[in-house]
Structure formats: C-alpha cells, structure tokens
C-alpha cells in the first residue's frame, strides 16, 4: 500500500471510531458513567438555546424599526439557523470543558474495560493533578483562540475570505477532536504539546473523526449523546495511535555505533 492509499484509509477509518463509541454507550459497565455527561450536556444546550431565543427576540425588538414587525418572521428563522450552526461548536466545546471531570472518568473506565485493569497513569496528589489539568485546559483555550483568530483574520481579506467558512469548519472539527482527546491523554498526565504531537502524526484520521463528531452535533437529539460517544471513540482512537507510535519507535533501526577512538 503506497503512502497516499494509507492516508486515505486512515482518514476513512476516523468516523468508524465514533460509530464504535455509540455502540459502547450501551455497555452495562459504562452506562452509569454516561448518564452524568448526557444530563449535563442536555442542561447546557437547553440553557444556551433558551438564552439564544430570548436574546435574539430582544435584539430584534431593538433593531427592527416600527412598522417592520412583519420582517421578524423572515429574519428570526434565518438568523437563528446561522447562530445555531455557528454556536453549536462553541456550546459543544464549552460543554466538553465543563464536563471534563466526568468525561475523563468515562475515558478511564473505557480503558479499564478494554485492558481488564485500571489505567495506571501515576499521580502527584489530587491538588497537583487539578492544577496540571487546569493549566493544560488554559493552554488549550489559548491554542483554540489563536486558531480561530487566524480564521477570522482570513475572513477579513478580500478574495481569500471565500475559504474562511470551510476553513472554519475544518478548524472547529480539529479543535473539537483535540478537546475530546484531552481526556484519555490527560489521564496520562500529558502536556498539550505532547498531545498535539500524537494527533498531528495522524492528522487526517483525527480530522475525519472530529468532522463526523462536529457534524452530529447539528443533529437534534443525537447531539445530546454525541459528547460521551465521542469521548469513548477518541479513547479507542488514541489507543491505536499510541500503539502505532510504539510500534514505529520499536521498528526504528538502532543508530550505528560510534567508531572507536584511535
């Protein structure tokens, strides 16, 4: 198999991890760890939808001139669709961050179920672990902000700005996959740089996974369970990436010994 075919195969396999995540949601040993993320996700999305609805209603009352109330029935659905489509990434990202303690536990339980033993990641104490986790999330926020600001800057450039919308979707999918991957990799106490190195080594597969996950956040009802399913799926994906990395490191030929000094 040549390099191009390998890349295509890897990319096509990305969404299958999400499908496997949905299948494992029904495992009896995981159901109780899925309940809280689903409930939290539901509450966050409902709260965001209510705030969006009343916020838009207030803004239209302020912006629409008197005598143009009939435009509300045209403008409101269009603006709502645009804001919902664009805001779903933000809501999902916020939900994934707020629910990270539950999602990290879910990821650890998936690995324990697969290995038959708890994940041994070591611990420096709960306070140091908490500080390290917060530090990683803050760095991740900075990384996401830089990526999104770059897309925004491209959108301001004439002619080039036509690629801003598809680029925003691709960047959002990548960031979402990275946020989910932060759960299994965060359980290993990995810094953000190390996490990104692993993901970039199979960027097409990771991007395809993130695209599938991001696409399902736009599907009503399904979006309530897509976060735990994505965490389970990305846990399986990261395990395969780690195995491939380990196999690649093992397959590297040993360096030639240095010539003896004469």
């Amino acid at each position: 198999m040549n390099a191009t075919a390998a890349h295509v195969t890897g990319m096509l396999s990305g969404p299958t991890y999400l499908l496997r995540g949905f299948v494992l949601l029904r495992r009896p040993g995981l159901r109780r760890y899925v309940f809280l993320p689903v409930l939290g996700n539901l509450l966050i999305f409902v709260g965001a939808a209510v705030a969006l609805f009343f916020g838009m209603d207030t803004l239209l009352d302020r912006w629409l001139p008197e005598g143009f109330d009939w435009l509300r029935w045209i403008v409101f659905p269009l603006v709502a669709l645009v804001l919902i489509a664009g805001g779903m990434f933000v809501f999902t990202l916020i939900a994934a961050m707020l629910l990270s303690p539950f999602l990290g536990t879910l990821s650890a339980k998936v690995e324990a179920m697969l290995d038959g033993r708890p994940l041994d990641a070591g611990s420096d104490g709960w306070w140091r672990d908490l500080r390290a986790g917060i530090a990683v999330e803050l760095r991740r926020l900075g990384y996401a902000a830089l990526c999104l600001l770059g897309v925004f800057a491209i959108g301001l450039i004439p002619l080039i700005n036509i690629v801003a919308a598809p680029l925003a979707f691709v960047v959002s999918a990548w960031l979402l996959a990275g946020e989910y991957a932060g759960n299994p990799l965060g359980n290993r106490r990995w810094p953000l740089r190390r996490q990104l190195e692993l993901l970039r080594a199979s960027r097409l597969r990771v991007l395809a996974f993130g695209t599938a996950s991001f696409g399902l956040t736009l599907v009503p009802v399904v979006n309530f369970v897509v976060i735990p399913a994505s965490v389970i799926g990305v846990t399986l994906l990261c395990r395969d990436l780690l195995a491939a990395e380990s196999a690649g490191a093992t397959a590297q030929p040993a360096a030639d010994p240095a010539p003896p000094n004469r």
Side-chain angles (χ1 to χ4, degrees):
M1 181 182 295
N2 57 36
T4 302
H7 284 307
V8 172
T9 302
M11 182 177 63
L12 294 177
S13 69
T16 64
Y17 288 96
L18 181 58
L19 179 60
R20 292 166 63 187
F22 276 103
V23 173
L24 288 177
L25 279 177
R26 299 176 292 174
R27 281 286 185 93
L30 294 179
R31 287 177 185 172
R32 58 176 175 166
Y33 300 104
V34 171
F35 174 74
L36 285 177
V38 170
L39 178 61
N41 191 29
L42 176 63
L43 293 176
I44 290 172
F45 272 86
V46 169
V50 171
L52 179 64
F53 177 84
F54 286 104
M56 284 181 52
D57 200 46
T58 302
L59 288 176
L60 288 177
D61 285 338
R62 178 175 299 180
W63 290 347
L64 283 179
E66 294 185 6
F68 287 86
D69 289 340
W70 56 272
L71 278 176
R72 177 186 299 270
W73 303 105
I74 300 175
V75 174
F76 191 94
L78 295 177
V79 175
L81 286 174
V82 172
L83 290 180
I84 288 174
M88 287 303 289
F89 165 69
V90 177
F91 296 153
T92 303
L93 192 62
I94 292 174
M97 289 181 176
L98 293 177
L99 298 173
S100 58
F102 305 109
L103 299 176
T105 301
L106 172 61
S107 178
K109 293 301 177 183
V110 171
E111 299 213 53
M113 179 188 69
L114 296 174
D115 294 335
R117 56 183 174 80
L119 176 66
D120 184 13
S123 177
D124 297 325
W126 71 270
W127 176 242
R128 289 187 178 181
D129 288 344
L130 178 62
R131 288 169 54 190
I134 293 175
V136 170
E137 286 304 317
L138 289 176
R139 292 189 183 95
R140 196 188 308 279
L141 275 175
Y143 174 75
L146 286 176
C147 292
L148 294 175
L149 282 175
V151 175
F152 178 76
I154 290 175
L156 299 178
I157 303 174
L159 298 180
I160 300 178
N161 57 6
I162 59 175
V163 303
L167 183 60
F169 183 87
V170 171
V171 170
S172 298
W174 171 260
L175 293 175
L176 200 58
E179 176 60 35
Y180 290 141
N183 292 286
L185 301 181
N187 287 340
R188 290 171 168 79
R189 312 295 189 269
W190 279 22
L192 180 61
R193 183 176 63 179
R194 180 71 180 91
Q195 295 182 25
L196 292 176
E197 286 176 356
L198 179 71
L199 299 180
R200 286 168 180 160
S202 298
R203 66 181 73 226
L204 290 180
R205 187 187 307 184
V206 174
L207 184 58
F209 173 87
T211 300
S213 179
F214 186 33
L216 288 182
T217 62
L218 304 177
V219 180
V221 181
V222 176
N223 59 353
F224 295 135
V225 296
V226 71
I227 289 182
S230 296
V231 170
I232 296 174
V234 85
T235 301
L236 303 177
L237 173 57
C238 287
R239 285 171 61 87
D240 286 351
L241 296 181
L242 287 168
E245 183 183 64
S246 178
T250 304
Q252 290 293 328
D256 294 334
N261 294 327
R262 293 182 178 178

